[in-house]
Each structure stands twice: as structure tokens, then as C-alpha cells.
Amino acid sequence: MPFELSILATFGAMLSWGIGDFLIQRTVRKIGDLEALTFIGIIGSLALLPFVLKDLHFLLQTQNLIILLILGIITFLAAISDFEALKQGKLSVIEVILEIELPITIALGFIFFRETLTLVQAIIILLIFIGLILVATKSYHLKNFLKRLERGVIIGVVAAVAMGFVNFLTAVSAKNTSPLLAIWMPWVIFTIICIIFLVKRNDFSNLINNVKSYPSLIISMGIIDTLAWVFYAFAVVKNEISITTAITESYPAIALFLGLWFNHEKIDWHQYLGAALAIIASIILALSL
């Protein structure tokens, strides 16, 4: 993929993630975390299947298969944590908290891909963290800090750390196999895990009722979230993972607007300041790479 197209794919991932997380929050609040993730897995796996048939030979290499299996499991854990955070908290807050995945991803790129950061880039990442602290708290006073955390923030932090590893392993798999296979195989794995849990809970039969109740929401969520990861996988094939992830971290700006506009969420002035700081710093970081 030419460099220009890979940059477009990066912005495509950013746009799709912003809209996708907005749809995910609405879906999980109506049908549940596990059910929403199951639908994403089913839709993505079926939609990508015709396009990955020619790449299945990569699975014959043990290293590729092991990495994709691990990626599928971590994706399941990251997604469930992500969905629960979105279910409990404000979209405008959780989306910015999830930006913690950026320094995690950059650190992994530095360690394993020999990517580097300048002093200016390190300072910008520090500004992102300051913004995250501001947006994560209901009050800017330090007293009883943990009690003042917004709902879903702690789970959001767990999800963001796990998502950093998902980003890294997706990049590794996309480079070693193919971008589509790097998405399809983990999708199949976490879908199987979801179905197993649903069967054990005797909830699998409810999936049909969910589709009948919210067909447009579920289908659009599955398609857009799958597109986001496909765009990301194609982008990291040609670009450094730090560049790609930094640009995509602007997606909370979209989700922030959607959450405030459609969900009528309310946040304090210091949270607006923190969100603006984190988002602007993320965009500046992307431009500096």
C-alpha cells in the first residue's frame, strides 16, 4: 500500500473508531457486553472470510498461529473491559481514558520494532497523561482522589493497557501475514470464546431476539468496528506503529462530540480542559512523527 493510502487508512481507522465506540456504548447498554462483542465477531468473521482464503497458508507457520491465538485472547479481554467501561461511564470521559493505549503502543514499538521518540514527543505524551488525569476525575481536588474518579475509569485504564498490546500484536501479525488475516483470525477466536460463555450462561438463544430488536444498531456497530481495525491493520503495514497509533488517537474527538450531543452527557470545565489537552496533544504528536 502506498504511503499516502496508508495515511488515509489511518484516518479511516480514527473516524471509524470514533463512530464505532459511540455505537458500541449504545449497544452494550441495550443487550450487554458479551452479546455486543459476539455480534462484532460474527459480523467481522463472516464479512472478511472471502478475502482471507488466499492468506490461510500463513497459519501453517507455528509462530504466526501462536501470535494470532494470543492476539485473539487478548482482544477478547481488552474488548470486554472496553465495553464494560463504556457501559458504566460517560462516552466523553472513557474515550479519552482509552488514549492510555498510545504510550503503551509506542513503548512496545520502541522495544520490539526499534522505533524511537524525541524529547518533544515524550513531553507531548506527558501532556496527554495530564489531560487524562483531568478528564478522569469529577473534581480537581486531590482529597479522596479514588472516590472522585468517574464511573468506568479504572476498567477503562485496564482496557487501554490491554488495547496497547492488541495494537502491537496486530501490527506484528499484519506485517508477518496479511492485514486482513491479522484481523480475521483473532475475530474468529474471540467469537468462539464469546459463544462458549453465552452457551454456559444459557443466553445464546437471546442473540436472535437481540437482532430482531436492534437490527440496524447491531449491524452498523459490527461493520464499522471491523472496518476500523481493518484500516488500522493496513496502515501499520507501511507506517511505524507509533505514527499510526498516534494519529488514530484523535478518535476521541469524534466520540466526545457524539457523547455530548446525542447522549446529553455533562462534564465539568476541568474535564473539558483535560479532554482538549489530551486530544490536541495527540494530534500534535501525530504531526511531529
Side-chain angles (χ1 to χ4, degrees):
M1 178 183 288
F3 180 78
E4 293 79 5
L5 290 180
S6 65
I7 290 295
L8 288 177
T10 304
F11 280 103
M14 180 265 288
L15 179 63
S16 300
W17 267 323
I19 299 173
D21 277 11
F22 171 73
L23 295 174
I24 285 171
Q25 186 191 53
R26 289 202 159 191
T27 305
V28 298
R29 288 181 175 179
K30 292 180 181 296
I31 68 174
D33 307 347
L34 194 59
E35 291 80 1
L37 184 58
T38 303
F39 281 118
I40 290 176
I42 291 174
I43 292 171
S45 299
L46 293 178
L48 296 179
L49 179 59
F51 303 101
V52 300
L53 294 177
K54 60 181 177 58
D55 298 325
L56 293 179
H57 64 90
F58 286 113
L59 298 179
L60 297 177
Q61 301 177 28
T62 304
Q63 180 180 354
N64 292 335
L65 182 60
I66 291 176
I67 291 176
L68 288 169
L69 286 172
I70 294 174
L71 177 56
I73 295 171
I74 296 179
T75 299
F76 170 78
L77 296 174
I80 286 296
S81 300
D82 186 347
F83 290 10
E84 183 61 26
L86 289 171
K87 181 179 179 180
Q88 291 187 17
K90 299 174 183 175
L91 184 65
S92 51
V93 172
I94 300 303
E95 284 299 276
V96 182
I97 294 302
L98 293 176
E99 284 203 29
I100 291 176
E101 71 183 275
L102 172 59
I104 299 294
T105 305
I106 291 177
L108 291 171
F110 173 78
I111 296 171
F112 294 99
F113 289 157
R114 305 294 182 182
E115 298 177 357
T116 58
L117 285 174
T118 66
L119 177 61
V120 172
Q121 291 164 351
I123 292 174
I124 295 173
I125 290 176
L126 177 60
L127 292 177
I128 293 176
F129 271 114
I130 294 174
L132 292 174
I133 292 173
L134 288 174
V135 80
T137 54
K138 298 177 183 179
S139 170
Y140 51 84
H141 297 295
L142 295 180
K143 184 179 179 181
N144 297 326
F145 175 77
L146 289 177
K147 293 183 179 180
R148 298 179 186 275
L149 285 177
E150 287 279 6
R151 291 188 61 192
V153 163
I154 294 178
I155 298 177
V157 171
V158 173
V161 172
M163 201 59 70
F165 284 90
V166 171
N167 293 340
F168 171 72
L169 291 176
T170 298
V172 171
S173 300
K175 293 175 185 292
N176 292 341
T177 60
S178 75
L180 292 178
L181 189 64
I183 302 303
W184 178 79
M185 187 63 184
W187 253 232
V188 171
I189 293 169
F190 77 64
T191 302
I192 292 173
I193 295 174
C194 288
I195 291 174
I196 290 174
F197 275 106
L198 287 174
V199 170
K200 286 188 174 182
R201 284 178 10 184
N202 296 319
D203 288 337
F204 186 76
S205 58
N206 291 332
L207 289 180
I208 303 300
N209 294 329
N210 289 331
V211 173
K212 291 180 179 179
S213 299
Y214 312 103
S216 299
L217 180 61
I218 289 172
I219 293 173
S220 58
M221 172 196 65
I223 292 175
I224 292 176
D225 194 62
T226 300
L227 274 177
W229 281 102
V230 168
F231 281 137
Y232 182 80
F234 272 104
V236 292
V237 170
K238 292 295 182 181
N239 296 334
E240 291 184 351
I241 188 173
S242 55
I243 293 176
T244 303
T245 307
I247 295 174
T248 60
E249 287 308 294
S250 301
Y251 76 85
I254 298 171
L256 179 73
F257 170 77
L258 293 173
L260 293 173
W261 183 263
F262 290 101
N263 295 347
H264 305 291
E265 297 177 352
K266 295 181 180 180
I267 58 178
D268 292 332
W269 69 269
H270 70 279
Q271 292 175 299
Y272 277 108
L273 176 63
L277 179 61
I279 293 168
I280 292 172
S282 179
I283 294 173
I284 294 174
L285 181 60
L287 296 176
S288 70
L289 294 173

